Amino acid sequence: RHRLLNRRIFISRQVVFHSVAPLFFGVYLLGVGLVSLAMRLFGWELSFVLKGLAVSAGGILAALLVLSDQKRRQVQNFIATHFYVNKYEYRDEWLAFSQAVQGLMSEEEIAEALRIVLEDSLYVDRLFIWLSEGDSLRFRRLVREKELGKNTMRQNEETLEINPDTKELLIEKGRIYLAESDDFHQQPVADLMKMKGIVLLYPLLVGGRLLGLLGIGPELTGKKYGRDDFDLLDAICSQAASAILAARMAGELAENRQMLAWNRLSAFVLHDIKNASAMLKLVLENASDHMDDPEFQKDMLKAMEDALKRMDKVRIRLKGINGNTSPKMQQVELVVAIKELVSSIKRRLPGLEAGVSSQESAIMVHTDPAVLSSILENLFLNSLEAAGSQKVRVHVHISRDTRGSNRFVNIAVTDNGPGIPEKLLPSGLFEPFATTKRGGTGIGLWQVRRLVEGLGGQISAENTPEGGARFIIRLPA
């Protein structure tokens, strides 16, 4: 001791525990050496020495039988409580449990890790762990009962129900210890504790939520549990409860994500059905005025065919769940293809005025005409729905874009509608479920962006100086 150097030096109990076997064998080898020396000095016969070794071996075997697992635990407990300030190596137990629960994602695995660590730390032969079923006061036992010193393992599933008074007592006092609460007689907890030989009931508690119960039998030494035991259990049980809560929240998050994925899939399906329905509805509304027109009849049949194809795509999407389709790329003369598409859409939507202009008379691109048709149909329907009762005019302009090292083609779709809300520019309107239309799903433009990207292109949006909306599709030439 010195005023500048005040340190306590002690031997780790792990060193003491692990020194027993080397000490035992050292004594044994020393004994063999002494017997060999005695044979030389006193001329003992080999048979006499062998008889002595046999007696020694019998004594050693008897000692091993006496020093069972239970006795070993009692010796460790004696050393820990009489030769050290603290009964437990808190740092070792805490690190052991932290490493055991690292990466575990289920409550069952965390409960099993808790059982293993406590069995190695506490001097007991009975441990039970129950976990709550949701937020109810009903608990189910998950882990095996292990009686130290025996080879029996039981996996009897059982449930335990506690009343609100017992819950409040556990939250208030942090434990139920029969040695401290001899007057505790709340049923059915008291009967279960007596039947199972449990003297200590600890809550797995976090944020006022009772997630589980830990039942502990009496200590092997027959002594009462003290401050060191309670400190260890407080730390381990608190950490276990936090890990269980995290596992539950992760499970709930996974379920919510699955539900969100299903809702999104439903929204995509609803959008496809809505587009097909809108197209058929517009055809039906104009049928009485244009039914005698052969071109209208032809386009009406084409609209019905497209609607059936769209329904078939919905069926395939529901079957495949992921909804991903690979475009069938081919060489397409873009100006001619878009003029035909726009002409077909105009005949199916008589309330729509549309025109096409081009910088050049012929521009070749490598694309999928069916996907391109879906893109333009979505944009035209979007303009029609956004305009409401206003007369809708849409213009498509095709031009080359030679920016950068690659050559691209721009397809600008401009309408005379109310424009795009500034809060959705420049890219917010392409996010799923972003919509300003009454009854809109917010899927159309998100789907358009995915279709354009599937063709290797890009899409952007802006408002025109006149107040309308302009969508610019940039495709590789």
Side-chain angles (χ1 to χ4, degrees):
R1 294 178 61 91
H2 189 274
R3 61 180 181 177
L4 297 179
L5 183 62
N6 185 6
R7 295 289 184 270
R8 289 181 298 175
I9 300 175
F10 60 93
I11 302 174
S12 167
R13 71 194 73 202
Q14 300 299 327
V15 173
V16 175
F17 295 160
H18 290 86
S19 297
V20 174
L23 180 63
F24 174 79
F25 285 110
V27 172
Y28 170 76
L29 293 175
L30 180 62
V32 171
L34 292 175
V35 169
S36 176
L37 181 61
M39 289 176 65
R40 292 184 181 182
L41 293 177
F42 302 105
W44 290 347
E45 296 292 335
L46 182 60
S47 58
F48 174 76
V49 175
L50 291 177
K51 290 179 181 179
L53 290 177
V55 172
S56 301
I60 293 172
L61 181 60
L64 291 176
L65 292 176
V66 171
L67 292 176
S68 62
D69 189 68
Q70 182 173 349
K71 294 294 183 182
R72 178 179 61 83
R73 300 286 290 175
Q74 289 178 343
V75 171
Q76 289 182 351
N77 180 63
F78 179 83
I79 295 174
T81 53
H82 289 81
F83 292 89
Y84 293 90
V85 175
N86 298 315
K87 185 177 180 180
Y88 299 101
E89 293 280 7
Y90 297 107
R91 180 177 179 274
D92 292 343
E93 277 85 14
W94 181 78
L95 288 176
F97 185 67
S98 298
Q99 294 173 358
V101 299
Q102 187 176 6
L104 299 183
M105 297 301 295
S106 70
E107 300 177 43
E108 292 81 0
E109 293 174 335
I110 295 171
E112 182 65 15
L114 176 63
R115 179 188 67 85
I116 293 173
V117 170
L118 290 181
E119 281 181 355
D120 290 339
S121 304
L122 299 174
Y123 302 99
V124 297
D125 60 359
R126 289 183 183 274
L127 277 176
F128 301 88
I129 299 178
W130 293 270
L131 295 183
S132 66
E133 297 179 347
D135 294 327
S136 67
L137 296 180
R138 181 181 177 89
F139 300 81
R140 58 192 173 96
R141 202 178 91 213
L142 292 181
V143 301
R144 298 173 295 179
E145 173 189 352
K146 178 181 179 182
E147 295 186 2
L148 300 178
K150 300 181 180 179
N151 293 323
T152 58
M153 286 285 191
R154 293 193 291 274
Q155 186 68 35
N156 298 328
E157 288 291 334
E158 64 184 7
T159 58
L160 168 66
E161 293 186 13
I162 65 173
N163 54 43
D165 293 337
T166 304
K167 177 183 177 181
E168 291 299 325
L169 182 63
L170 285 167
I171 295 176
E172 179 184 355
K173 292 190 174 181
R175 61 178 179 269
I176 294 177
Y177 186 23
L178 294 183
E180 295 178 343
S181 308
D182 295 331
D183 57 343
F184 178 74
H185 299 296
Q186 296 186 25
Q187 305 295 338
V189 180
D191 289 342
L192 179 67
M193 293 179 68
K194 293 176 182 178
M195 181 181 67
K196 294 294 184 182
I198 298 173
V199 299
L200 183 60
L201 196 64
Y202 243 87
L204 301 179
L205 195 66
V206 58
R209 295 181 60 179
L210 187 59
L211 304 180
L213 296 171
L214 173 64
I216 306 173
E219 195 172 76
L220 295 175
T221 60
K223 297 181 179 179
K224 292 183 178 182
Y225 289 106
R227 180 181 58 83
D228 285 350
D229 304 292
F230 298 145
D231 288 345
L232 176 67
L233 289 170
D234 284 340
I236 297 296
C237 289
S238 175
Q239 188 177 4
S242 299
I244 292 171
L245 180 61
R248 288 190 181 181
M249 294 180 66
E252 293 175 0
L253 180 60
E255 292 180 2
N256 291 337
R257 284 178 175 173
Q258 290 177 352
M259 183 61 66
L260 178 61
W262 173 251
N263 290 338
R264 286 188 173 184
L265 177 62
S266 301
F268 301 150
V269 172
L270 176 63
H271 174 264
D272 285 342
I273 293 176
K274 183 178 74 69
N275 273 4
S277 175
M279 187 67 69
L280 292 176
K281 182 180 178 181
L282 290 171
V283 170
L284 182 62
E285 290 176 352
N286 292 277
S288 58
D289 298 331
H290 304 276
M291 194 64 185
D292 296 333
D293 186 353
E295 289 293 331
F296 179 82
Q297 294 176 7
K298 181 179 178 181
D299 290 329
M300 181 180 68
L301 294 175
K302 182 67 168 58
M304 295 175 64
E305 181 185 1
D306 290 343
L308 290 174
K309 288 181 178 179
R310 193 179 294 274
M311 296 297 182
D312 193 54
K313 287 181 180 179
V314 171
R315 179 186 62 81
I316 295 173
R317 174 170 293 180
L318 288 175
K319 183 178 179 180
I321 295 298
N322 56 17
N324 295 326
T325 56
S326 300
K328 298 178 181 179
M329 309 295 282
Q330 61 187 55
Q331 288 295 115
V332 175
E333 207 292 291
L334 189 61
V335 177
V336 174
I338 289 183
K339 285 183 177 181
E340 291 178 354
L341 291 173
V342 171
S343 177
S344 175
I345 294 174
K346 281 173 58 180
R347 288 194 295 268
R348 282 179 279 165
L349 306 176
L352 178 71
E353 293 183 6
V356 181
S357 62
S358 175
Q359 193 179 54
E360 301 178 21
S361 59
I363 299 178
M364 298 298 297
V365 295
H366 193 63
T367 189
D368 184 338
V371 174
L372 192 59
S373 175
S374 296
I375 293 171
L376 291 179
E377 183 180 304
N378 267 288
L379 293 178
F380 279 32
L381 283 173
N382 188 74
S383 297
L384 196 64
E385 292 174 354
S389 59
Q390 181 183 349
K391 187 68 174 180
V392 182
R393 294 190 302 273
V394 179
H395 184 77
V396 180
H397 181 70
I398 308 168
S399 61
R400 289 192 181 273
D401 182 353
T402 56
R403 289 178 297 173
S405 57
N406 297 322
R407 301 178 63 216
F408 289 88
V409 174
N410 288 341
I411 305 173
V413 182
T414 307
D415 64 35
N416 66 331
I420 303 169
E422 292 296 331
K423 64 180 181 180
L424 294 179
L425 292 175
S427 59
L429 74 168
F430 295 112
E431 296 299 323
F433 311 111
T435 182
T436 58
K437 295 180 296 184
R438 178 179 297 181
T441 61
I443 297 299
L445 293 178
W446 177 87
Q447 196 172 47
V448 166
R449 187 188 68 177
R450 291 197 61 182
L451 291 174
V452 172
E453 290 175 349
L455 297 177
Q458 301 171 352
I459 185 170
S460 59
E462 62 186 17
N463 286 322
T464 64
E466 294 78 16
R470 178 182 291 123
F471 294 91
I472 302 174
I473 302 167
R474 191 166 182 250
L475 297 177

